[in-house]
Each structure stands twice: as C-alpha cells, then as structure tokens.
Amino acid sequence: MLVHSRAGKWATWAVFLLLFVPLFAVPLLVILAASLATNWSGAFPSGPTAERYAAATNGDSLQALTTSLVTALAASVLALALGGWAALAAASLRERGKRLVDALFILPVAVPSVVVGLAVLVAFSQPPILLNGTRWIVILAHTVLVTAFAYQSVAAAVRRLDPMYEQAAAGLGAGPARVLWRVRLPLLLPSLTSAAGLCFALSMGELSATIMLYPPDWTPLPVQIFAATDRGSLFTGAALAVVLMTTTLLVLAAVSRIRTRASYR
C-alpha cells in the first residue's frame, strides 16, 4: 500500500469497503440469494432451494454453457494470435505506422458492440463469405471485439522488453525466427496469458453483438440469461448467471496459475 500511516491505512480501507461493498459485493450477493430462493416478497428471499442449479447444469442450459466456453476459447486463441502478431509487427514500425495500427485495433472498442455486431452481420450475410446463420459469425464477432484488448496488452509488454536479450541472442548467431520463439515469446508469456484471460472473460459475458447474430443451434449462456429474465424468470436467470460467473472465475484462476508459473521461469 502507498499509504504508510496507520490512520491513512484505516481511512483507505474504509473508503475501499464503502465503495466495494455497495457497488460490487452486494449485487453479486443479491444474484446468489435470488438463485437459491423460491420467492422474494419481503426484504429477504425465502424458501431456499437448489432446484434451479440442477436445471442450470443440464439440458439446454448445459449446451448454452458449452457454447459459451467454445466460443470464448476460440475467440481468445484467434484474438491472441492476431493481436499478438500485430503488436510484434507494430514494434518494428515507425511512430506513424504504430499510431495507424493502434487506431485500427482500438476502433472496435471505440464503438458500441452492437455496431460491431451489425457490421459483421451486414459484411458476412452475402457471398463470397456467407457466415450468417452459422456459429462462425458469432465466433468472428467475439474475436473482433476482444482482439483490441489482446493487442493492447501485448503491445504494452513489447514496449517494456529489454532489447539486450534479443541483441545477445542475435550476437550469438540466432536468426530472427529463433530470437522470436526462444527469446521474445518466452519473455512475453506472462502478458500473453493475461491477455488470453481478459479476452476469455470478455467473450463469456458478451451479449449485445451476440444477440444479433446467434443461430438457434448456437445459443451462448448470456443470451439464455437474457431470455430467462425477459420472460420474467428472474430466479432462473440468477442461477444461470451464477453458473456463468463461477465457470469464468475457474478458468481465470487456471490462467492466473499458468501466468504465475510463466513469471518465475
């Protein structure tokens, strides 16, 4: 902590708790309580039950969770490959070229995701590349939306790299490809895993663009949560939301473990 006095630390913790509890903790606790409630007519829920979790992990809900996982994993891998490659390539460009690449990759973040979804829908609803009505258009839209975050994470890490390691490897006779695979990428591995985790989390929760594009046989879990709450099944939607949060956190914990190991290599 940057605050060293005892009074300053207590004040900092108090401000943190006053902001964190009502803004983050309470909403999540409300969702958790709603997922376990039979009804909620008073100040607190009543009739605790776990039946909704049985439904949330079977049938269509399980299929929706699998769809979200596959979509997020595919989008994360593609975004990491595209964004990482672009960040490495941009590092060798002049300042004007770097600014142009930065602008191109930040553009999807600068506009609402529903606009990106509409753009993908219009672009790929006609030959020669017809993806409308397939799972690939959903994966493509998610990739477009999260690639900017992968690019920014890797680009920031590339700028922090000490060129001494690459120069030493080149001085020992290593070619550009060997320097890339044996020096640069291992040094970037912690940032690459962080970028992958961020892309995965963003893709798992994406709704605005997805709801414009998904076909009936490829329904991600956020769409099912929206559909459940839209028809008034708030408790069912809460259970699905808890399943989505738990799955995302478990994957992020695994990614964080990989990142920690990569940091100490």
Side-chain angles (χ1 to χ4, degrees), residues 63-77 135-136 139 142 200 203-204 218:
Q63 180 62 40
L65 177 60
T66 304
T67 298
S68 288
L69 285 170
V70 173
T71 301
L73 288 172
S76 300
V77 170
R135 68 186 65 181
W136 305 112
I139 294 174
H142 281 227
F200 178 86
S203 178
M204 285 291 286
W218 196 256

Side-chain angles (χ1 to χ4, degrees), residues 48-251:
T49 178
E51 292 181 0
R52 292 186 183 85
Y53 283 102
T57 53
N58 288 284
D60 292 340
S61 298
L62 181 60
Q63 180 62 40
L65 177 60
T66 304
T67 298
S68 288
L69 285 170
V70 173
T71 301
L73 288 172
S76 300
V77 170
L78 291 173
L80 201 60
L82 294 172
W85 170 80
L88 289 169
S92 61
L93 299 177
R94 295 182 179 180
E95 191 63 29
R96 183 176 296 179
K98 290 180 182 179
R99 291 178 181 176
L100 177 60
V101 176
D102 286 346
L104 289 174
F105 277 88
I106 293 174
L107 184 60
V109 183
V111 298
S113 57
V114 67
V115 176
V116 175
L118 179 60
V120 172
L121 180 64
V122 172
F124 297 99
S125 291
Q126 298 181 19
I129 305 178
L130 180 59
L131 299 179
N132 191 13
T134 69
R135 68 186 65 181
W136 305 112
I137 195 169
V138 178
I139 294 174
L140 176 61
H142 281 227
T143 302
V144 171
L145 288 169
V146 302
T147 296
F149 298 95
Y151 170 79
Q152 289 175 321
S153 297
V154 178
V158 170
R159 286 192 291 267
R160 294 194 301 267
L161 282 182
D162 189 342
M164 177 185 66
Y165 298 104
E166 299 175 40
Q167 293 169 0
L172 292 173
R178 190 173 181 83
V179 171
L180 174 64
W181 288 103
R182 300 300 299 271
V183 179
R184 299 189 81 183
L185 289 182
L187 290 173
L188 290 172
L189 188 57
S191 298
L192 291 170
T193 52
S194 296
L198 177 61
C199 292
F200 178 86
L202 292 171
S203 178
M204 285 291 286
E206 162 55 36
L207 176 63
S208 299
T210 307
I211 207 166
M212 300 180 63
L213 301 169
Y214 77 98
D217 61 341
W218 196 256
T219 305
L221 194 55
V223 175
Q224 195 170 56
I225 294 172
F226 174 79
T229 55
D230 188 51
R231 63 176 180 263
S233 302
L234 298 180
F235 297 156
T236 300
L240 292 172
V242 172
V243 171
L244 178 64
M245 288 190 297
T246 303
T247 304
T248 304
L249 289 174
L250 288 175
V251 174

